[in-house]
Amino acid sequence: MTPMKEDYLKIIFELGGTKKKVSNKQIALSLDIAAGSVTEMVGKLVQDGLAKHTPYAGISLTAEGIRYAETLVRKHRIWEDFLVDKLNYDLPDVHSEAEVLEHVTSERLVDSLESYLGHPTHCPHGGAIPDKDGHYTEDSHTALADTEDGTVVSIERFIDNHDLLLYLHDIALKIGQSVKVIKHDPFEGPVTIEVQTTGQQIPVSYKAAHNIFVK
């Protein structure tokens, strides 16, 4: 399987494609690519039996696609945890390293890493880590962009994207913070949030708000 197909499987997994339909727009926003490219790759995943597509509704993973995605995500996120926890990598820098390491990691090695790290349940950007039997706590799939004004939520996780993580570092938004959604500006404008502990108001870009998940 090509690395590009694997990236699609992982992002559909991250966006909730094990339980619901994910739109082409969501995939395009998260991968920062043109919608036309998504349509083409979705067709290939369907042809390979890894995904199901319903016109005007979206795409979800088949049982085979889910198993493949869980294996990829497990290796990727365990390596991210190792790089941050043991080698002191900055969070925005771990994705590209983990992307390489996951492809050369045997099941024996990932099991040993998991044990060495104390069986972590979540990676540094908040995503659940499946164990070797495929068990994990389901992530929230409620995007900040879809949260109503006036709602107080907790930041649960971020999509694993280098540019996004750099942006969130710059605006000092962190996993676990409690924030209140103040307003959604029209025409794909920012979502303004207020950090509950400090009262600081932060405008979060339209694209970033679709890649931040809350509960």
Side-chain angles (χ1 to χ4, degrees):
M1 180 176 292
T2 65
M4 182 60 72
K5 282 186 181 179
E6 292 182 342
D7 286 345
Y8 270 78
L9 286 176
K10 285 187 292 185
I11 206 65
I12 295 167
F13 178 92
E14 284 202 67
L15 292 171
T18 61
K19 302 289 186 183
K20 65 175 187 176
K21 297 289 185 181
V22 176
S23 71
N24 285 16
K25 180 180 179 181
Q26 287 176 290
I27 297 170
L29 281 169
S30 296
L31 292 178
D32 196 22
I33 56 177
S37 300
V38 174
T39 302
E40 182 181 353
M41 182 58 75
V42 163
K44 292 178 180 179
L45 293 176
V46 171
Q47 189 174 16
D48 291 344
L50 299 171
K52 297 173 289 186
H53 182 252
T54 304
Y56 308 109
I59 183 171
S60 59
L61 297 177
T62 62
E64 183 181 354
I66 290 171
R67 286 194 297 271
Y68 205 110
E70 286 173 348
T71 299
L72 291 170
V73 166
R74 169 174 161 75
K75 291 178 179 180
H76 189 93
R77 291 178 175 175
I78 284 176
W79 273 117
E80 288 187 326
D81 193 73
F82 175 81
L83 292 168
V84 170
D85 188 48
K86 301 302 181 183
L87 299 186
N88 300 314
Y89 270 61
D90 290 330
L91 185 54
D93 298 331
V94 298
H95 174 71
S96 58
E97 300 280 15
E99 193 79 0
V100 173
L101 290 165
E102 73 184 58
H103 295 295
V104 294
T105 302
S106 66
E107 291 301 320
R108 179 181 178 183
L109 177 54
V110 75
D111 288 348
S112 297
L113 273 174
E114 180 187 41
S115 179
Y116 174 68
L117 293 168
H119 300 277
T121 58
H122 290 79
C123 71
H125 55 84
I129 300 175
D131 67 17
K132 63 181 179 180
D133 298 315
H135 300 138
Y136 55 96
T137 303
E138 190 69 31
D139 289 326
S140 166
H141 300 298
T142 301
L144 178 63
D146 298 328
T147 306
E148 293 184 2
D149 293 351
T151 307
V152 176
V153 294
S154 175
I155 304 295
E156 184 182 60
R157 65 185 179 95
F158 310 131
I159 288 291
D160 191 4
N161 175 283
H162 175 75
D163 292 339
L164 173 68
L165 295 172
L166 283 175
Y167 171 78
L168 295 175
H169 180 268
D170 289 343
I171 65 174
L173 196 62
K174 299 179 176 65
I175 299 293
Q177 281 182 317
S178 179
V179 302
K180 182 177 182 179
V181 179
I182 303 300
K183 64 174 181 174
H184 292 65
D185 281 358
F187 301 108
E188 299 189 356
V191 177
T192 301
I193 59 173
E194 181 179 275
V195 180
Q196 294 295 277
T197 54
T198 64
Q200 179 190 10
Q201 290 197 0
I202 303 172
V204 180
S205 76
Y206 174 84
K207 184 180 291 186
H210 280 84
N211 291 312
I212 298 168
F213 294 91
V214 300
K215 61 180 180 179

